[in-house]
Amino acid sequence: MSEKDSNFNQNEIKPVHTNKVGGSPFKGVVGWIDNRLPIIRMFKYEYLDFQVPKNLSYLWSLGGILMICLIFLIVTGLALGMHYKPSSSEAFTSVEKIMRDVNYGWLLRYAHMNFASFFFIAVYIHIFRGLYYGSYKEPRQLMWLIGIVIFFMMMATAFLGYTLPWGQMSYWGATVITNLFSAVPLVGEGIVTWLWGDYAVGDSTLNRFYVLHWLLAFGILGIVIFHVIALHIVGSNNPSGIEPVDTRDTVSFAPFTTSKDLFAMLIFLLAFVLITMYAPNYLGHPDNYIPADPLITPAHIVPEWYFLPFYAILRSIPDKLLGVIAMVSSIAVLGLLPWLDLSKVRSSVFRPVWKQFVFLFVLDFFVLMYVGGMPAEGIYVLISRVGTVYWFLFFLVIAPLVSLTEKPLPMPKSIHEYEDWKKQGKIKTFKIF
Amino acid sequence: MSENNNNSDKKNRRDFLTVATTAVGAVGVGAAVWPVINQMNPDSSVKALASIEVDLSKIKEGQEITVLWRGKPVFIKRRTKEEIASAEKVDLKELKDPQPDNKRVKKSEWLVLVGVCTHLGCVPISGKGDYGGWFCPCHGSHYDSSGRIRKGPAPTNLEVPTYEFVGDNKIKLG
């Protein structure tokens, strides 16, 4: 071989840089570390200098609040896991032991229970914020989809966790929800037996549910990281729905957003402490303090409050398979919204017609939540059917139709102009929104 | 020319290697994944408990007992003459899951049912509902005196388990 390697075209040879050490804005030890593991500069760029719209309302604090909920749930869950026993003969008594004998066990369990509820309160407000201000639209569609995946995972995790105390509601909730899979044609029964590891919900079921509860909790944490990375690429939406243009429109994340978020977290945690300390079982169901009995179904099975709207949709349809499909689609349909709502205007502030339907949708959510907790008979069945019809109409018909026909209000050109218009009373918004 | 032949020869050998590697890889992945999936199915100790014998001699006409079989309640009912008659005279066209009563029992006096609602698995309550059989409190399914679905969201009749009479007054479930 000559010096010229015949396998390479001389013009295509380019230098490579496998060693990327350097580029840190820091000096000294911090700089030395950051040059080799660039997480310190990432924190600086993404959490200190990061520019966010200056007009973010408290509705934009929910993301941070949700993160706090998730962290507290994992910490209290870790502590509870050190005392809990996932077997059908010991689960119920081990939970009672946590409540009575374990140091601060009562606090840890009540906190874990109520953090789950508050997690859902926060996520529902978070989703409403996205709906109202069009946060699902270009370029944030993928972030919205990741959010829906997180919501599904939250529901699965909450369901699995609710099974663990092995009370009557745990047992029959697990039975009803796992039986949803039996609606799958042909293989349904096989899937259910496989999920149970038995011919009914039993010891094997509880043991695996405990493992999956852990797995999904950390799974959520992982997907949340994707959600946040996507956010830092597309940037935050804001109440005006207009993208920031220059420094008159933005503030840096620290200290402006962080201080606002911390205040919101404080209020949120105060509400949490109030419920946890004074009415810890208010959001739960008393039947779950009766040990699981496979021979007696409680007269009135209800899921946790945060599942009620979807439970109402399930029950509103008098066919098993279609009921299950409707329930799953009622959440999945949220994922189609970026492609069903064709309006270029993001914020409902400028969409007088759409805004009314969004509020009606919120009302529908609460109506379904109410009927989901009532027996499946008489007037409640009718109401749940009307509610289910509106739920799907809202996404599949109203969203595209309104977006094509509605005439948006005149819009300012930038966020700072939006703020001026607000001061001049040209735009009507809610005080806290 | 010879170089060309050489190249296509190489190509064939590579194709073979790609196909062979993929095939062995797929079989290997399948063999590794299946045990991890199948371990979740009922284990041998669960399957070993799959059949039990029940003594019927103490059940009087019109009475019903519930026994636990495979972790599920099984209803064993000694039906009255009226209940048998009403179950037999039902027009099959009225039924969502048409099945004549004599296909659901071995001796018309004894009705044996898995006491699990075919909707979402709750235990129906005996003697309630509009059809003189069972009523599921969870989502409102009504079953008749043959355990057939008559009204509500359940798609099929209450399941009749595999059983046989091992004496005049004894049955073996499973």
Side-chain angles (χ1 to χ4, degrees), chain A residues 194 197 199 208 297 311 320, chain B residues 37 40 72 118-119 123 139:
Chain A
W194 177 71
Y199 300 104
R208 65 190 55 177
T297 306
Y311 192 61
K320 182 169 163 178
Chain B
I37 291 174
M40 281 175 70
K72 289 177 187 172
T118 55
H119 182 227
V123 179
H139 309 97

Side-chain angles (χ1 to χ4, degrees), chain A residues 7-164:
Chain A
N7 282 330
F8 288 96
N9 180 337
Q10 288 302 305
N11 300 328
E12 284 177 4
I13 297 174
K14 292 187 179 89
V16 290
H17 302 282
T18 55
N19 176 345
K20 298 195 183 83
V21 173
S24 174
F26 300 100
K27 298 222 164 18
V29 179
V30 176
W32 186 88
I33 295 171
D34 189 49
N35 274 330
R36 285 154 182 81
L37 182 67
I39 53 172
I40 305 171
R41 84 185 79 153
M42 201 182 85
F43 182 79
K44 174 176 156 58
Y45 297 152
E46 301 299 335
Y47 287 96
L48 302 176
D49 308 345
F50 188 60
Q51 294 295 302
V52 294
K54 68 175 180 180
N55 60 335
L56 295 188
S57 70
Y58 279 115
L59 284 175
W60 267 261
S61 298
L62 270 310
I65 286 172
L66 285 161
M67 198 67 208
I68 293 281
C69 286
L70 183 58
I71 291 167
F72 279 148
L73 275 166
I74 288 175
V75 171
T76 51
L78 184 71
L80 290 169
M82 293 183 183
H83 305 280
Y84 172 77
K85 295 189 174 70
S87 93
S88 59
S89 56
E90 290 178 285
F92 190 87
T93 42
S94 76
V95 171
E96 284 310 303
K97 193 171 142 65
I98 288 170
M99 294 302 288
R100 292 151 203 257
D101 299 345
V102 173
N103 302 326
Y104 291 104
W106 60 273
L107 179 64
L108 291 165
R109 174 159 177 267
Y110 278 154
H112 194 71
M113 269 167 65
N114 284 298
F115 261 124
S117 275
F118 274 73
F119 202 12
F120 276 94
I121 293 175
V123 92
Y124 285 137
I125 303 174
H126 193 61
I127 294 172
F128 163 75
R129 193 281 318 272
L131 268 181
Y132 189 81
Y133 292 109
S135 302
Y136 47 85
K137 293 187 185 183
E138 167 70 22
R140 298 183 181 83
Q141 303 97 323
L142 184 62
M143 212 191 144
W144 176 257
L145 289 178
I146 297 171
I148 291 162
V149 171
I150 297 171
F151 182 52
F152 268 118
M153 291 172 81
M154 276 176 68
M155 294 180 91
T157 313
F159 157 70
L160 293 167
Y162 192 62
T163 307
L164 304 181

